[in-house]
Amino acid sequence: DMGSKAAGIISDNVSQLQDQIEKQKTEGGENSTYAAAAVKVLSSNASIVATKGVERARSVGSRIHKEVSIMVDESRDDDGKLSPGELAMSVGKKGYGAARATVT
């Protein structure tokens, strides 16, 4: 079930952290403390997560920009002028399609 899977994942993550902290303390020499090793490991892991988050945000931003550009282009009338009504319809259709895809 989901609870046992979650417990397994948490246990694995804790074990990995313990291993990383122990390795960092060993590499730090005889004056290294567990607290210092933990700070270094957690800081490093947070940095990695933050970097991945920024990359993901940039990717999402790029996709949103592309979709909005398409909606704007599709909303232009024959003269090339932007039609607010058409743009609103296009945004509504995209939103409806995305919501429908999520539900089904």
Side-chain angles (χ1 to χ4, degrees), residues 35-94:
V39 166
K40 188 159 188 170
V41 167
L42 294 175
S43 296
S44 175
N45 287 350
S47 176
I48 291 168
V49 168
T51 300
K52 288 181 180 180
V54 168
E55 291 170 0
R56 179 79 173 141
R58 285 183 181 148
S59 173
V60 168
S62 176
R63 284 185 287 166
I64 289 171
H65 182 269
K66 179 182 173 187
E67 289 297 322
V68 169
S69 294
I70 290 169
M71 286 188 289
V72 167
D73 288 342
E74 291 173 348
S75 301
R76 294 188 185 280
D77 61 18
D78 294 336
D79 295 333
K81 294 180 181 176
L82 187 59
S83 167
E86 287 295 319
L87 182 56
M89 289 295 293
S90 184
V91 170
K93 287 177 187 175
K94 287 280 186 188

